[in-house]
C-alpha cells in the first residue's frame, strides 16, 4: 500500500514536471505526435491499453496551457487539437449510422498504433546507437595496404594495319609530284631554249646526246630528265620545221640536223 | 577436415588450386590489407585460379575466434575488425563522429527497419516532415542511399541502408537489426494508412505520395 | 621463461596484470588498428597497468609465423604486414588493349620495310619528324631494337624489327612483308589522292611534327 502511494506521489511529481517541461519547452517537441507520445507516457500503461480519450483531453489541456502562457504554437499543433476535439466527441457520442468513414474507435485505434510505432522506432534507434560502433568500440585496419593497380597495356596492331600504314606513306609519295626536286629536272622549256640557239649551227646530222646540257650526262637521274626534255624539244622543233630527225634502227642513236629552207 | 571431396573435384580443373591452408593465408593477407570489407567475389578474383575464398573464410573465421581481431561479415563482404571489448585501448584511434540529431537518428532507424521506405512514409511514422538536411546528412555519411522508385503514382524514391551502415554498427545483415523480428511480429513495421488523421508531413511536401503496404525487403 | 622475476616485481603493484593471453589480444588489436608502427613503450602505455607488451609481442609474433601476415619490426616499433610471398595479391592487374597510334604504326612499318633505317630516314619517308615517345614506345614494346650504327657522318643508330615483332605479326622474316606491287594488287594502294597534303598530320598525337621535303628514298 505504502509502495502504491509512493508511486502515485512520484507519478504526480513526474507528471507535473513533464507538464511544465512541455509548456516551457514546447520548441523541443518534434510535432504533435511527439507531444502525444510524451503525454501518453504519463498514463503509465502499455501503449496498447492507452486511453485515447484521456490522451485527447491531456492534449487539449496542453494546448490551453500553452495559450494562457502565450506560447505560439505551430499550426499543426492546433490542427491536431481540433482533430482530437472532434475525435473526443466521436468517442463520447453514440455512433451515427449515417456517418461515413472510419468510426471513432477506429480512429482512436489508429492513433494508438501510430504512437506505439513511433515509440518502437525510438526504442529501435536507441538500441541501434547502443550497439558497438566502428571507430568507437571496434576498429578497422589502421594501416591498410593499398592494392596497387598494375595497368598493363597491350597494344594492338595487325599486319593489315602495318601494311595499310606503309601503303599510306607510299601513296603519299606518289601523289606529291609538285614538290619534286627541281635541281634534277631539266624542263622542256629549258631544252627548247638551249636547242634553238644551237640548231642553227647543226648543218650535219648530229647525235641528240650532244645537245645535253653540261653536267647532266653523268648522273642517271639528271641524264634521264635532260634526255627526255631535249628529245621533246627536238620533236617540237621538228614540228616547227626547224630540224629533221632520223633514227636508223630501234634503240639506235637519234640524230638531227638543221632543216634548210631551200631544200623543200 | 571435411573438405577432401571438395578438393578432389577441384583437382579436376586444369590448374590445381593451392592447398586450403595457403588459401586461408591469402584471404588473411587480403583482409588485413584492406580497411574496407572485401567481397568473396573480389577475393576469388585476386586469388589464383581455382581458389575457394568462401571455404577459406570458414577456417580463417574459426582461427580468429576469441582473438584481438575478428573476421566479420558485412553484407556479402568480409572484413577484419578489432574485438569490441578492447575498444578502450584505442582512444588514439577513436574517431569523433559527428553528433547526430534526434531527428537524424530516428530517421536512420526508420529507414533501417522499414526499408525500402519513402520520405512520406518516414514522415507518417514520425508525425513531422523530414528536413532535407537530415536526409542529406545521412546520405553524406553513406549510411543510407536511394533505393528503387516505388511503383506508385509519382514514383517516389525510396531509401535503404548501405553496407557502410552495416559495417559501422557491426551488423552482418539488415536482418540482424536488434528486435526486428519482434517488431514485425507486433505488426509495427506495417504501414496502415488511414484517411483523416492530421499527422505526417506528407501534405506539405511536393511528393504527395500514397502510403501503401510495406514491401517485403527482409523476406529474401 | 626468464622473465619470472620481472613479473614478480610487477606483481607487487596494486593491480594484477591481465593474463598473458589477454595481453596478446591487446597487442594484436592495437597493432591492427594503429595507423603507424607502435613502440613497446607506447604499447605498455596504452595497455592496463602491469602488462608486458614485449613479452606479449613474442607470443604474438610466434602465433603469426607462417601466416598470411606477420608481426614485423620497423625501427624500434612494431607493425602487422603482409607476408612477403603474398605481395602479389596486393596488386590488381588490369589489362587494357589500346590501338597503336598512327604515328607509331607508320614508324613501325617504315622500320619493317626499310630496316636497318635511321631516324632521319624514317622522318624523310614519313615527311614528318618522329617523336621520341613514338620510338620509345616501340622500343619498350620490344617490337624494334637498335641495329648497327650507320657508317656515315655522325654514325647514326639504326632501327630494326625484333623477333617479337615477327612473332606478333606472324612473319617468319621481315622480307615476307608484302611488297609495293602486292599492296597495290591487294587494293591497299588505292587510297584517294592527297592534294599534296600530308595525310597524317592532323590526327598524329605528336603535333609538333614538321613537314619536310620528300626524298628519293624509294629508288632502291
Amino acid at each position: 500500500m505504502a509502495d502504491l502511494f509512493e508511486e502515485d506521489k512520484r507519478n504526480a511529481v513526474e507528471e507535473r514536471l513533464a507538464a511544465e517541461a512541455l509548456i516551457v519547452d514546447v520548441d523541443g517537441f518534434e510535432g504533435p505526435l511527439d507531444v502525444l507520445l510524451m503525454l501518453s507516457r504519463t498514463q503509465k500503461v502499455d501503449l496498447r491499453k492507452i486511453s485515447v480519450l484521456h490522451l485527447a483531453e491531456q492534449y487539449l489541456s496542453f494546448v490551453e496551457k500553452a495559450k494562457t502562457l502565450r506560447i505560439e504554437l505551430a499550426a499543426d499543433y492546433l490542427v491536431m487539437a481540433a482533430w482530437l476535439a472532434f475525435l473526443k466527441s466521436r468517442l463520447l457520442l453514440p455512433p451515427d449510422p449515417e456517418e461515413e468513414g472510419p468510426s471513432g474507435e477506429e480512429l482512436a485505434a489508429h492513433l494508438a498504433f501510430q504512437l506505439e510505432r513511433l515509440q518502437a522506432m525510438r526504442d529501435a534507434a536507441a538500441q541501434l546507437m547502443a550497439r558497438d560502433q566502428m571507430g568507437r568500440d571496434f576498429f578497422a585496419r589502421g594501416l591498410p595496404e593499398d592494392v596497387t593497380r598494375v595497368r598493363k597495356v597491350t597494344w594492338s596492331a595487325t599486319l593489315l594495319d602495318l601494311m595499310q600504314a606503309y601503303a599510306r606513306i607510299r601513296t603519299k609519295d606518289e601523289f606529291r609530284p609538285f614538290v619534286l626536286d627541281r635541281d634534277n629536272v631539266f624542263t622542256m622549256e629549258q631544252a627548247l631554249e638551249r636547242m634553238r640557239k644551237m640548231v642553227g649551227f647543226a648543218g650535219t646530222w648530229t647525235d641528240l646526246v650532244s645537245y645535253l646540257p653540261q653536267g647532266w650526262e653523268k648522273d642517271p637521274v639528271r641524264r634521264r630528265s635532260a634526255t627526255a626534255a631535249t628529245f621533246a624539244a627536238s620533236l617540237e622543233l621538228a614540228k616547227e620545221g626547224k630540224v629533221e630527225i632520223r633514227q636508223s634502227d630501234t634503240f639506235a642513236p637519234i640524230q638531227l640536223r638543221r632543216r634548210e629552207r631551200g631544200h623543200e | 577436415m571435411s573438405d577432401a571431396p571438395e578438393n578432389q573435384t577441384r583437382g579436376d580443373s586444369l590448374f590445381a588450386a593451392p592447398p586450403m591452408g595457403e588459401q586461408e593465408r591469402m584471404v588473411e593477407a587480403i583482409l588485413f590489407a584492406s580497411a574496407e570489407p572485401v567481397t568473396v567475389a573480389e577475393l576469388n578474383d585476386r586469388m589464383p585460379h581455382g581458389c575457394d575464398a568462401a571455404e577459406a573464410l570458414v577456417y580463417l573465421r574459426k582461427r580468429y575466434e576469441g582473438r584481438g581481431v575478428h573476421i566479420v561479415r558485412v553484407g556479402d563482404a568480409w572484413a577484419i575488425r578489432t574485438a569490441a571489448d578492447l575498444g578502450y585501448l584505442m582512444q588514439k584511434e577513436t574517431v569523433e563522429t559527428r553528433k547526430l540529431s534526434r531527428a537524424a537518428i530516428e530517421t536512420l532507424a526508420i529507414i533501417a527497419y522499414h526499408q525500402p521506405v519513402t520520405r512520406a512514409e518516414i514522415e507518417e511514422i514520425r508525425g513531422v516532415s523530414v528536413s532535407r538536411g537530415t536526409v542529406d546528412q545521412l546520405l553524406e555519411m553513406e549510411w543510407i542511399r536511394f533505393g528503387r522508385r516505388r511503383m506508385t503514382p509519382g514514383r517516389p524514391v525510396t531509401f535503404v541502408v548501405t553496407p557502410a551502415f552495416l559495417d559501422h554498427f557491426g551488423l552482418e545483415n539488415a536482418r540482424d537489426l536488434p528486435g526486428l523480428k519482434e517488431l514485425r511480429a507486433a505488426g509495427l513495421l506495417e504501414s496502415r494508412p488511414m484517411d483523416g488523421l492530421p499527422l505526417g508531413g506528407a501534405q506539405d511536401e511536393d511528393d504527395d505520395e500514397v502510403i501503401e503496404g510495406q514491401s517485403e525487403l527482409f523476406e529474401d
Side-chain angles (χ1 to χ4, degrees), chain A, chain B:
Chain A
M1 271 326 243
D3 276 345
L4 258 178
F5 175 73
E6 279 297 313
E7 206 185 5
D8 272 350
K9 214 170 101 185
R10 213 180 316 128
N11 282 350
V13 170
E14 269 180 25
E15 205 168 324
R16 223 171 39 237
L17 285 174
E20 268 165 30
L22 72 91
I23 286 167
V24 173
D25 205 15
V26 70
D27 280 345
F29 285 102
E30 299 211 31
L33 199 59
D34 191 23
V35 172
L36 282 167
L37 190 58
M38 197 275 153
L39 291 171
S40 69
R41 257 184 243 127
T42 63
Q43 286 191 26
K44 289 288 156 192
V45 288
D46 186 329
L47 273 176
R48 295 189 168 217
K49 293 173 193 149
I50 200 165
S51 160
V52 171
L53 186 60
H54 181 42
L55 186 63
E57 279 161 358
Q58 282 177 293
Y59 186 87
L60 292 170
S61 79
F62 153 75
V63 172
E64 279 310 307
K65 274 186 209 164
K67 271 182 189 162
T68 57
L69 289 171
R70 300 185 178 206
I71 290 171
E72 198 129 343
L73 286 177
D76 47 347
Y77 287 85
L78 302 177
V79 170
M80 178 59 88
W83 185 80
L84 285 172
F86 159 76
L87 177 63
K88 190 178 145 188
S89 68
R90 271 262 182 124
L91 289 169
L92 291 173
L93 296 172
D96 180 355
E98 302 286 296
E99 190 78 42
E100 292 212 355
S103 69
E105 276 74 21
E106 283 170 328
L107 289 173
H110 190 73
L111 179 60
F113 165 74
Q114 280 192 301
L115 289 172
E116 196 190 349
R117 186 175 58 181
L118 179 58
Q119 187 56 53
M121 281 302 108
R122 290 195 171 161
D123 294 343
Q127 278 191 67
L128 190 64
M129 297 317 280
R131 284 186 72 84
D132 290 331
Q133 291 184 39
M134 189 159 71
R136 191 186 76 185
D137 306 291
F138 63 91
F139 295 83
R141 180 80 155 121
L143 196 60
E145 285 167 59
D146 284 333
V147 176
T148 46
R149 267 171 216 277
V150 183
R151 207 174 55 178
K152 205 171 124 191
V153 180
T154 50
W155 297 94
S156 76
T158 62
L159 188 58
L160 189 68
D161 291 334
L162 193 74
M163 286 167 11
Q164 277 172 336
Y166 190 64
R168 194 162 58 224
I169 300 162
R170 294 306 306 266
T171 312
K172 187 156 62 178
D173 184 57
E174 286 185 352
F175 282 95
R176 293 193 61 180
F178 306 113
V179 288
L180 275 181
D181 191 342
R182 294 273 156 183
D183 288 354
N184 291 326
V185 174
F186 194 68
T187 63
M188 196 188 88
E189 286 74 26
Q190 286 173 295
L192 205 54
E193 202 190 325
R194 179 180 165 80
M195 287 188 72
R196 278 189 210 282
K197 290 176 190 159
M198 294 173 74
V199 285
F201 306 100
T204 52
W205 292 103
T206 343
D207 198 327
L208 183 76
V209 178
S210 60
Y211 290 92
L212 292 187
Q214 285 268 318
W216 287 72
E217 309 93 330
K218 286 239 173 84
D219 180 1
V221 177
R222 307 191 98 199
R223 185 188 167 88
R224 194 191 308 154
S225 177
T227 307
T230 306
F231 178 63
S234 62
L235 289 179
E236 186 63 31
L237 290 173
K239 209 171 113 189
E240 288 174 13
K242 301 247 171 67
V243 295
E244 288 175 307
I245 301 175
R246 72 171 186 193
Q247 186 178 28
S248 58
D249 206 349
T250 316
F251 297 120
I254 296 167
Q255 296 177 313
L256 53 96
R257 70 170 181 192
R258 184 183 67 219
R259 182 170 181 182
E260 306 296 341
R261 288 204 178 254
H263 280 224
E264 207 56 38
Chain B
M1 293 285 142
S2 57
D3 55 343
E6 264 264 84
N7 274 344
Q8 252 164 9
T9 16
R10 230 178 290 117
D12 295 343
S13 86
L14 238 83
F15 306 99
M20 193 39 74
E22 263 312 292
Q23 296 189 32
E24 207 193 305
R25 287 183 72 228
M26 293 173 190
V27 173
E28 189 176 34
I30 295 172
L31 292 190
F32 259 96
S34 174
E36 308 284 322
V38 185
T39 63
V40 173
E42 205 188 330
L43 284 168
N44 278 329
D45 223 43
R46 283 170 65 180
M47 288 159 69
H49 189 77
C51 283
D52 184 348
E55 197 188 337
L57 270 162
V58 173
Y59 297 116
L60 193 68
R61 207 177 184 187
K62 204 163 277 166
R63 187 182 291 274
Y64 278 92
E65 263 168 27
R67 299 273 297 276
V69 294
H70 294 155
I71 313 291
V72 299
R73 186 188 186 131
V74 183
D76 6 300
W78 297 80
I80 301 181
R81 300 287 178 249
T82 62
D85 67 309
L86 299 175
Y88 69 98
L89 294 170
M90 313 293 171
Q91 292 100 326
K92 204 180 156 191
E93 278 74 35
T94 303
V95 263
E96 274 306 316
T97 35
R98 230 189 319 168
K99 200 113 179 82
L100 283 177
S101 68
R102 192 173 117 190
I105 292 169
E106 268 180 40
T107 303
L108 178 66
I110 292 168
I111 293 170
Y113 283 82
H114 291 259
Q115 67 171 346
V117 64
T118 66
R119 188 194 199 96
E121 286 161 354
I122 299 167
E123 294 180 337
E124 201 239 334
I125 294 168
R126 293 196 64 229
V128 285
S129 62
V130 174
S131 85
R132 209 185 163 73
T134 302
V135 174
D136 285 352
Q137 187 184 11
L138 294 173
L139 283 168
E140 205 180 287
M141 293 172 84
E142 294 184 349
W143 281 359
I144 65 166
R145 63 172 179 83
F146 293 108
R148 286 193 179 181
R149 283 183 181 277
R150 191 58 66 70
M151 285 305 156
T152 52
R155 300 184 19 96
V157 291
T158 60
F159 296 101
V160 294
V161 290
T162 63
F165 164 86
L166 298 176
D167 197 14
H168 184 91
F169 290 99
L171 294 162
E172 276 200 13
N173 198 300
R175 267 164 292 180
D176 295 340
L177 285 163
L180 185 74
K181 257 189 206 150
E182 293 80 355
L183 287 172
R184 192 188 292 126
L188 289 168
L189 299 184
E190 289 162 25
S191 182
R192 291 187 201 161
M194 182 166 276
D195 293 329
L197 270 106
L199 290 173
Q203 59 265 50
D204 50 27
E205 278 296 314
D206 44 349
D207 36 12
D208 45 352
E209 296 158 65
V210 179
I211 290 121
E212 41 126 73
Q214 197 65 29
S215 76
E216 311 296 309
L217 194 103
F218 298 107
E219 298 301 325
D220 53 348

